[in-house]
Amino acid sequence: MRITLGAEVSMDIINRWIVEVNKEFGLSDKNALSSEYFAQIKDICIFILERDWYAVLMPSVDMWGKREMHIMSYYIRKESRNIRLFLMIQKKFEELARAFDCEVLLQGSHLGDRLFSYLERNGYKVAVMRKEL
């Protein structure tokens, strides 16, 4: 598994993933905005780059000093999606959070609701509510 600091990840690699992900979700018209977003955060993130999936994690500290690990983005190619890989990725998120001495692991989804039932069954609690305006 290739885990690397975001400062070492080229925007070419990031942009190739952006094109693929946004195409699947009908968001290809947002490629430039997605690229700009990742360019702004990549140097403070941790990337996991695999042939069939990627993940972007960002360690931080809340206003009370509690260390957190944010799952900023991850994607598994359609042809590689299966529960075994998904669970392995989730386990890796927890391992990395612990390696960075994080007390909290934060993740959600803005592209669908299927992830939420899994997260709830695995100890996640509601911490953020979102309202489309």
Side-chain angles (χ1 to χ4, degrees):
M1 185 169 301
R2 237 176 65 206
I3 301 171
T4 186
L5 298 176
E8 300 172 10
V9 178
S10 76
M11 283 306 298
D12 287 340
I13 291 171
I14 294 169
N15 286 328
R16 282 195 295 269
W17 279 109
I18 287 170
V19 168
E20 184 172 344
V21 173
N22 284 356
K23 181 179 179 184
E24 177 178 340
F25 292 99
L27 298 168
S28 294
D29 61 325
K30 305 290 187 188
N31 287 353
L33 290 171
S34 297
S35 182
E36 183 179 314
Y37 173 79
F38 280 108
Q40 291 176 18
I41 68 166
K42 79 177 200 72
D43 290 352
I44 58 172
C45 289
I46 300 158
F47 282 69
I48 306 173
L49 299 169
E50 293 295 314
R51 185 175 59 86
D52 293 325
W53 64 278
Y54 80 86
V56 182
L57 297 84
M58 183 172 62
S60 70
V61 178
D62 73 9
M63 66 179 136
W64 301 284
K66 188 178 283 190
R67 295 187 57 77
E68 304 175 328
M69 182 68 75
H70 299 261
I71 310 305
M72 303 302 292
S73 177
Y74 73 99
Y75 177 80
I76 304 169
R77 288 192 166 120
K78 269 187 170 182
E79 63 273 8
S80 300
R81 289 178 193 157
N82 62 62
I83 192 67
R84 187 171 164 230
L85 178 57
F86 172 77
L87 293 174
M88 187 274 302
I89 291 169
Q90 292 296 317
K91 183 178 177 184
K92 182 52 68 178
F93 290 164
E94 289 189 19
E95 289 173 6
L96 281 169
R98 285 187 182 99
F100 279 79
D101 294 323
C102 294
E103 300 174 61
V104 177
L105 181 59
L106 301 162
Q107 70 173 306
S109 175
H110 53 277
L111 297 174
D113 294 338
R114 291 180 57 199
L115 179 62
F116 297 124
S117 61
Y118 166 82
L119 294 176
E120 188 174 40
R121 284 191 314 271
N122 284 282
Y124 285 78
K125 304 220 180 326
V126 175
V128 175
M129 300 297 283
R130 177 177 152 145
K131 180 179 180 179
E132 296 284 334
L133 301 177

